[in-house]
RNA sequence: GCCCCCGUAUCCCAACCGGUCAGAGGAAGCCGCCUUAAAAGCGGCACAGUGUGGGUUCGAGUCCCACCGGGGGCACCA
């Protein structure tokens, strides 16, 4: 090998192949084939980026992983839809526009171009003819159209309610956008509450289905995401029980333990619920008022502490226990939440820790009705909630099974009309309006005479007015309100003076349906073509980050169900499989400016080239694991790529030579590798595919240097297989190899090699003979040896005979052709 | 507190339905060959008994239980 032959120039190779791929247009999805069903379709999707600056390591990882499968599917002859676009509405652009006295579009579209160039160079096999941006009027026209469709169905509505308010971003937030520690998902500021009239999507209408369908996704979605959604939806089974109240309408409570009804000794309503004010007696009104002042002073952070002492106030009113007619005092407390269940509970202190804490603080009675064998809660202060024998519980007495107890009580309550079995959800409706500029305007006109009037379809899109710089400054209400000539319109219904809704939609609305728009991104007549949705949907694999486990993924599932019920699609779930990619970290820590441990993608690409970076990211670990950049070796990846490339140069047989005449040992490695790679790819074990490709490179190198030699056609076969496998991860190197091997571009258009089953069969396998589980002998046997033959052979082996040493053979376990285990008597 | 996931060589990771006294691949390390030398390349060496303790089984990294450690979700949700 000559000196000049030892390396190739990665950047020159990148320059060389990009125009070739574009000319070949090899990654365009074929709608006609999908519609006719002549080829099996595959829809590959990766979460589209927000255009903030250039791409970073995280993008590089997810695109690399994603592209492996998209390319593999194409090799297998599938019709592959692999689109990309930008989630281009959102606050960073708006904030930048305020700082620089610009229009958000300037920043947004400049970044999109930067990211597009980077993606292009990164060599991902996207179908760029379907590129979209959610901030284009042609896109958000249909976001608005969908909003109106939802509203027609009663799934979008406005209500006044306490809402989450981000004081930094100066806008409301959905529950999903407030983190567990009470901070804003986007900016980290501490979220406060405000009472406002806002638009909502009725996600709760689909709570049951969103929950139930998770069972079907259990195996094909990564487990933690399913778990997170299940917890977020928070389904709990129980009963609504109605309690008569002296001098008032009855109140209904939700309980998961109706079987402990006989142990109820008081009632509690949420102090801040309207109900508390209605139930309080005039004598107690002042006490409640004082308590409410107290409660409102407590910050959200205080509320999050679960161990703070219970507080509350007696309302002076009594309810009646429907099962035994007992009088129960009604209290108000902040440990009961106004917006969960009915905002009121029956308190069973013996069997609920919170109720017990309250009872002890307020000196209320505790009555045990389930004897679990534990100490009496009244004395220990520890409530019991397990199975036990019911006592003092009328018809339940003597029963020992909780499920049965619950079931019986519900029957009883239903029989006399005081309660019903029911299911309650933690999930709330999705608050979708935002008081910021750079989003899709809500297409509603408010008219004094007609109320809320939808903007007529032929007037969509409602385009954003031209605002820039200081006009966009957040002031607690939408900046759109400042554009008076935009706001003031004639009512579409009566023609009188009216005003546009000035809020914009949460950008999660835009991203809840973008994968439908990819189907017909240029369709000016509809959001998407239902025929294409039927042909292409659902998405075969979706890849994205864990941070969207209950945000985007839940919203997209909700949208899908609504679109199905609108008759636009015929499938229930958008993402048949979901894989979350880990993060790229550095030195055990998240990359950040303050730590100074950031790794710049552009610099890595400059230094090692696209292929080496992609290979490093795919090879580092299973896709869902984090990658610590300090643990991986892009230079090692470069070396491997050069090694593989040299293989192609060393091949000395001619293209088209019959591999069947080649070295069988190497051919077996090649065919086994291809066979295994397919299985590994199907189960997303991409790092192992790379390892197996490395193995094949090693085997081929050995064959050239000290085996069958470079002229053996088996070497060509192996090198071609390497090129094809490598093209999944390192497309540039693979093209170079393919060309060196004397083929026309592009390797992306090559066929997946056909595996010869005969080459997968071993001539002989090693069978081990164990005595008491310890290996005592190895036998070379035919792979199709029968169990009886193998047993006979094993027992005849001199070593085995010696090891048995005349002891009783109690049992012989035979797993032909690999193993015999002899169990001998003591 | 409830729910989910994960603990394999110095490090990143393999190990199909439980089955060859755990090893495919890589990184770092050490030693050779090549070289005037270095890099690159080639070849080789070494390194754990699978977090801990029980159990099931002829046989456990793999299944079950408990505990420890790490990560994540939910959480005064009735």
């Amino acid at each position: 090998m000559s000196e000049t032959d030892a390396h190739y120039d990665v950047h020159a190779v990148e320059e060389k192949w990009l125009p070739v791929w574009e000319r070949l247009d090899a990654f365009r999805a074929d709608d006609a084939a999908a519609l006719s069903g002549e080829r099996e379709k595959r829809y590959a999707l990766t979460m589209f980026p927000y255009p903030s600056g250039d791409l970073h390591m995280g993008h590089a990882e997810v695109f690399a992983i994603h592209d492996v499968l998209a390319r593999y599917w194409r090799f297998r002859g599938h019709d592959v839809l692999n689109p990309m676009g930008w989630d281009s509405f959102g606050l960073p652009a708006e904030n930048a526009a305020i700082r620089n006295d610009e229009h958000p579009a300037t920043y947004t579209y400049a970044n999109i171009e930067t990211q597009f160039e980077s993606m292009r160079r990164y060599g991902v096999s996207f179908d760029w003819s379907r590129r979209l941006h959610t901030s284009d009027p042609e896109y958000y026209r249909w976001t608005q159209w969908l909003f109106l469709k939802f509203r027609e169905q009663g799934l979008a509505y406005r209500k006044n309610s306490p809402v989450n308010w981000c004081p930094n971003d100066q806008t409301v937030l959905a529950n999903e956008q407030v983190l567990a520690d009470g901070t804003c998902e986007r900016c980290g500021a501490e979220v406060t509450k405000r009472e406002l009239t806002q638009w909502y999507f009725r996600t709760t209408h689909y709570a049951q289905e969103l929950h139930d369908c998770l069972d079907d996704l259990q195996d094909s979605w990564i487990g933690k995401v399913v778990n997170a959604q299940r917890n977020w939806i928070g389904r709990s089974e129980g009963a609504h029980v109605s309690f008569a109240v002296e001098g008032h309408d009855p109140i209904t409570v939700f309980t998961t333990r109706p079987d402990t009804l006989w142990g109820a000794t008081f009632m509690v309503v949420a102090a801040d619920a309207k109900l508390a004010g209605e139930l309080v007696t005039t004598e107690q009104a002042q006490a409640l008022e004082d308590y409410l002042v107290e409660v409102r002073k407590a910050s959200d952070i205080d509320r999050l502490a679960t161990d703070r002492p219970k507080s509350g106030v007696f309302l002076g009113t009594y309810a009646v226990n429907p099962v035994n007619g007992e009088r129960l005092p009604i209290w108000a407390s902040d440990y009961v939440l106004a917006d969960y269940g009915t905002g009121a509970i029956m308190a069973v202190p013996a069997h609920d820790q919170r109720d017990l804490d309250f009872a002890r603080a307020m000196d209320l009675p505790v009555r045990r009705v389930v004897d679990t064998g534990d100490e009496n809660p009244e004395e220990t202060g520890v409530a019991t909630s397990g199975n036990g024998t019911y006592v003092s519980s009328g018809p339940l007495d003597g029963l020992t099974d909780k499920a049965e107890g619950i079931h019986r009580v519900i029957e009883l309550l239903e029989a006399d009309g005081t309660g019903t079995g029911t299911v309650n959800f933690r999930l709330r409706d999705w608050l979708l309006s935002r008081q910021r500029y750079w989003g899709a305007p809500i297409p509603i006109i408010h008219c004094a005479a007609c109320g809320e009037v939808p903007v007529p379809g032929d007037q969509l899109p409602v385009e954003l007015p031209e605002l820039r710089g200081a006009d966009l400054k957040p002031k607690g209400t939408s900046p759109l309100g400042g554009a008076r000539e935009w706001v003031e319109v004639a009512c579409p219904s009566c023609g009188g003076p009216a005003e546009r809704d000035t809020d914009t939609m949460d950008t999660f609305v835009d991203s809840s349906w973008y994968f439908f728009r990819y189907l017909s991104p240029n369709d000016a007549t509809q959001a998407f073509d239902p025929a294409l949705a039927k042909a292409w949907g659902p998405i075969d694999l979706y890849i994205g980050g864990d941070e969207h486990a209950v945000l985007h993924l839940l919203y997209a599932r909700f949208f899908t169900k609504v679109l199905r019920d609108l008759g636009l699609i015929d499938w229930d779930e958008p993402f048949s499989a979901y894989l979350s990619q880990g993060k790229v970290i550095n030195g055990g820590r998240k990359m950040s400016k303050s730590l100074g441990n950031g790794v710049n993608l552009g610099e890595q690409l400059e230094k090692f080239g696209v292929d080496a970076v992609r290979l490093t990211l795919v090879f580092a670990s299973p896709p869902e694991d984090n990658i610590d950049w300090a643990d991986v070796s892009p230079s090692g990846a470069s070396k491997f790529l050069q090694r593989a490339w040299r293989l192609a140069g060393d091949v000395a047989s001619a293209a088209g030579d019959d591999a069947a005449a080649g070295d069988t040992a190497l051919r077996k490695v090649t065919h086994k590798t291809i066979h295994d790679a397919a299985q590994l790819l199907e189960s997303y074990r991409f790092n192992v595919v790379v390892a197996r490709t490395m193995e094949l490179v090693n085997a081929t190198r050995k064959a050239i240097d000290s085996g069958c030699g470079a002229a053996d056609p088996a070497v060509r076969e192996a090198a071609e297989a390497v090129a094809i496998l490598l093209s999944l991860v390192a497309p540039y190197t693979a093209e170079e190899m393919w060309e060196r091997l004397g083929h026309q571009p592009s390797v992306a258009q090559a066929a997946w090699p056909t595996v010869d089953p005969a080459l997968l069969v071993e001539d002989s396998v090693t069978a081990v003979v164990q005595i008491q589980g310890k290996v005592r002998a190895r036998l070379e046997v035919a792979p199709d040896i029968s169990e009886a033959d193998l047993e006979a052979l094993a027992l005849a082996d001199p070593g085995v005979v010696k090891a048995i040493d005349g002891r009783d053979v109690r049992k012989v376990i035979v797993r032909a052709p690999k193993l015999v285990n002899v169990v001998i008597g003591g």
Side-chain angles (χ1 to χ4, degrees):
Chain A
M1 185 193 313
S2 73
E3 281 292 311
T4 51
D5 225 23
H7 294 273
Y8 65 90
D9 176 341
V10 289
H11 297 308
V13 163
E14 288 163 12
E15 294 300 319
K16 172 176 161 189
W17 289 105
L18 269 179
V20 176
W21 293 336
E22 274 155 24
R23 183 165 41 75
L24 293 171
D25 197 17
F27 309 127
R28 188 183 286 268
D30 186 347
D31 281 337
L35 286 166
S36 71
E38 80 191 40
R39 279 189 293 160
E40 221 177 299
K41 69 87 189 175
R42 287 287 185 282
Y43 188 169
L45 188 67
T46 286
M47 290 180 185
F48 61 165
Y50 176 81
S52 61
D54 202 346
L55 300 181
H56 51 68
M57 294 305 291
H59 294 121
E61 186 197 355
V62 71
F63 294 153
I65 290 167
H66 164 100
D67 207 31
V68 171
L69 208 62
R71 287 174 183 267
Y72 171 67
W73 280 340
R74 261 182 230 107
F75 275 137
R76 299 318 299 259
H78 298 312
D79 189 15
V80 176
L81 173 55
N82 187 26
M84 184 41 68
W86 279 269
D87 189 15
S88 51
F89 268 140
L91 273 183
E94 191 164 340
N95 292 335
I98 295 163
R99 275 197 308 277
N100 306 325
D101 194 26
E102 283 176 343
H103 193 282
T106 313
Y107 167 96
T108 301
Y109 288 92
N111 283 345
I112 287 176
E113 279 319 303
T114 304
Q115 292 197 347
F116 169 73
E117 259 320 305
S118 298
M119 284 191 204
R120 188 177 153 265
R121 177 179 170 201
Y122 200 60
V124 192
S125 64
F126 291 130
D127 175 357
W128 284 114
S129 72
R130 293 168 188 263
R131 171 174 168 178
L132 59 78
H133 320 118
T134 59
S135 56
D136 291 350
E138 305 80 61
Y139 183 90
Y140 70 73
R141 165 185 183 162
W142 298 109
T143 307
Q144 292 172 335
W145 180 83
L146 285 166
F147 172 89
L148 294 176
K149 277 303 223 195
F150 280 38
R151 190 172 165 279
E152 278 172 24
Q153 303 297 311
L155 295 169
Y157 67 96
R158 225 154 69 114
K159 74 171 174 192
N160 183 268
S161 175
V163 295
N164 302 303
W165 176 260
C166 175
N168 179 49
D169 289 340
Q170 292 276 301
T171 181
V172 298
L173 299 173
N175 285 320
E176 290 79 10
Q177 290 152 33
V178 181
L179 301 183
D181 63 356
T183 58
C184 169
E185 169 264 336
R186 207 197 69 78
C187 72
E190 195 177 312
V191 172
T192 59
K193 292 275 181 194
R194 278 194 180 187
E195 184 97 9
L196 289 170
T197 298
Q198 296 290 317
W199 286 98
Y200 291 81
F201 280 139
R202 211 179 291 279
T203 40
T204 52
H205 181 74
Y206 289 93
Q208 181 77 56
E209 200 194 337
L210 287 166
H211 175 273
D212 291 349
C213 286
L214 290 173
D215 290 343
D216 304 328
L217 303 175
Q218 190 80 52
D219 297 330
S220 55
W221 280 38
I222 187 151
K224 59 182 165 181
V225 173
V226 174
N227 183 249
Q229 292 219 2
R230 208 170 259 139
N231 286 337
W232 185 262
I233 294 166
R235 181 180 192 274
S236 63
E237 283 181 18
H240 276 139
V241 184
S242 177
F243 288 71
V245 179
E246 297 164 4
H248 288 273
D249 291 337
I251 58 176
T252 300
V253 303
F254 174 73
T255 175
T256 55
R257 292 298 302 274
D259 56 321
T260 61
L261 206 39
W262 283 266
T265 53
F266 57 99
M267 312 280 290
V268 187
V269 301
D272 54 343
K274 281 197 206 91
L275 190 58
E278 290 164 15
L279 289 169
V280 72
T281 58
T282 41
E283 297 81 56
Q284 289 298 96
Q286 189 56 48
L288 176 64
E289 203 51 45
D290 294 345
Y291 179 63
L292 274 171
V293 171
E294 198 78 5
V295 165
R296 286 184 179 134
K297 260 197 292 191
S299 73
D300 276 12
I301 297 297
D302 292 335
R303 278 168 192 277
L304 286 167
T306 52
D307 54 354
R308 71 199 178 99
K310 295 279 183 289
S311 61
V313 60
F314 178 48
L315 294 177
T317 322
Y318 289 85
V320 180
N321 190 330
V323 292
N324 58 13
E326 276 183 31
R327 278 181 103 213
L328 304 171
I330 305 177
W331 287 67
S333 172
D334 64 352
Y335 89 86
V336 171
L337 307 176
D339 53 359
Y340 182 77
T342 62
I345 63 157
M346 64 176 209
V348 185
H351 306 298
D352 183 287
Q353 192 59 46
R354 296 152 303 181
D355 296 346
L356 184 58
D357 294 343
F358 190 81
R360 285 160 72 95
M362 302 301 160
D363 206 19
L364 292 160
V366 177
R367 185 192 303 151
R368 181 154 69 159
V369 289
V370 183
D371 183 358
T372 56
D374 298 304
E375 301 281 307
N376 191 336
E378 186 162 18
E379 280 133 37
T380 59
V382 180
T384 61
S385 57
N387 268 308
T389 308
Y390 289 97
V391 294
S392 316
S393 291
L396 261 44
D397 283 353
L399 265 183
T400 55
D401 181 61
K402 186 158 103 178
E404 175 64 14
I406 291 170
H407 177 72
R408 287 232 200 143
V409 173
I410 289 173
E411 273 185 351
L412 231 115
L413 294 170
E414 287 180 346
D416 63 28
T418 49
T420 49
T422 186
V423 173
N424 205 42
F425 293 94
R426 196 191 152 282
L427 181 74
R428 319 287 164 79
D429 283 340
W430 172 11
L431 196 175
L432 73 103
S433 40
R434 295 289 178 273
Q435 290 70 50
R436 296 296 299 255
Y437 172 77
W438 192 231
I442 290 174
I444 291 290
I445 290 165
H446 299 282
C447 170
C450 311
E452 291 170 13
V453 182
V455 172
D458 60 5
Q459 290 172 32
L460 296 179
V462 175
E463 287 202 45
L464 285 165
E466 282 288 314
L467 296 179
R468 62 176 58 231
D471 291 341
L472 300 174
K473 276 225 169 80
K475 47 188 177 289
T477 57
S478 174
L480 295 184
R484 295 314 299 170
E485 69 291 352
W486 179 87
V487 171
E488 287 162 17
V489 288
C491 170
S493 176
C494 70
E499 297 201 342
R500 290 191 189 282
D501 196 296
T502 57
D503 283 350
T504 51
M505 291 188 231
D506 181 0
T507 56
F508 280 105
V509 179
D510 310 327
S511 55
S512 291
W513 74 281
Y514 75 110
F515 45 94
F516 292 104
R517 187 64 182 168
Y518 279 142
L519 302 170
S520 31
N522 303 311
D523 195 327
T525 62
Q526 55 191 343
F528 60 91
D529 183 341
L532 288 171
K534 196 180 171 77
W536 283 111
I539 284 130
D540 295 279
L541 180 67
Y542 196 26
I543 308 182
D546 292 340
E547 66 273 20
H548 290 120
V550 287
L551 285 156
H552 165 61
L553 287 172
L554 186 69
Y555 296 146
R557 294 182 61 218
F558 163 70
F559 257 65
T560 301
K561 293 183 188 306
V562 178
L563 293 179
R564 178 202 58 200
D565 289 346
L566 286 168
L568 296 172
I569 56 169
D570 61 356
W571 23 284
D572 300 321
E573 283 288 336
F575 314 122
S576 299
Y578 176 76
L579 189 60
S580 63
Q581 103 264 18
K583 293 181 172 52
V584 184
I585 60 174
N586 191 20
R589 313 279 295 273
K590 203 179 147 181
M591 291 186 202
S592 78
K593 275 196 188 116
S594 58
L595 289 169
N597 67 341
V599 177
N600 181 279
L601 174 61
E603 286 169 15
Q604 299 296 317
L605 294 176
E606 199 47 50
K607 196 165 165 194
F608 301 106
V610 168
D611 281 357
V613 170
R614 289 179 58 155
L615 181 74
T616 302
L617 290 166
V618 173
F619 179 51
S621 68
E624 64 275 19
D625 287 6
N626 285 346
I627 295 173
D628 193 331
W629 199 250
D631 289 338
V632 298
S633 170
S635 61
S638 293
K639 277 198 247 175
F640 166 70
L641 291 171
Q642 300 283 353
R643 220 163 112 79
W645 172 83
R646 279 197 306 272
L647 230 45
D650 287 351
V651 168
S653 58
D657 275 5
D658 186 10
D663 180 69
T664 310
L666 180 59
R667 296 201 70 211
K668 281 190 168 176
V669 178
T670 304
H671 283 250
K672 182 91 168 80
T673 303
I674 296 162
H675 174 261
D676 292 355
Q679 289 188 337
L680 291 163
L681 288 160
E682 305 279 357
S683 46
Y684 319 135
R685 282 148 63 204
F686 308 129
N687 55 326
V688 186
V689 175
V690 173
R692 298 300 304 274
T693 307
M694 289 174 168
E695 229 180 314
L696 179 57
V697 168
N698 293 344
T700 312
R701 170 52 54 199
K702 201 165 238 169
I704 293 172
D705 293 346
S706 58
C708 58
D712 191 292
V715 168
R716 160 168 290 278
E717 182 182 47
E720 290 182 351
V722 168
I724 285 168
L725 287 169
L726 213 50
S727 75
L728 303 173
V729 187
Y732 293 105
T733 307
E735 292 289 10
E736 283 294 303
M737 286 184 72
W738 201 241
E739 188 180 59
R740 282 190 125 193
L741 288 164
H743 294 297
Q744 289 299 307
S746 141
V747 66
Q749 292 174 321
W752 188 254
T754 307
V755 173
D756 180 353
L759 289 167
L760 298 179
V761 180
E762 299 296 328
D763 299 329
S764 72
V765 296
T766 308
V768 297
V769 186
Q770 299 176 333
I771 313 289
Q772 305 292 69
K774 295 257 187 280
V775 178
R776 297 296 182 203
R778 288 164 210 273
L779 308 169
E780 284 300 308
V781 298
D784 58 348
I785 190 167
S786 73
E787 304 226 321
D789 289 352
L790 182 58
E791 179 174 344
L793 213 56
L795 293 175
D797 184 88
V800 173
V801 171
K802 195 171 161 229
I804 293 172
D805 194 24
R807 283 172 292 182
D808 281 352
V809 174
R810 279 221 312 244
K811 196 171 168 187
V812 180
I813 291 120
V814 184
R815 293 286 176 274
K818 290 170 76 176
L819 178 127
V820 178
N821 190 12
V822 182
V823 187
I824 53 183

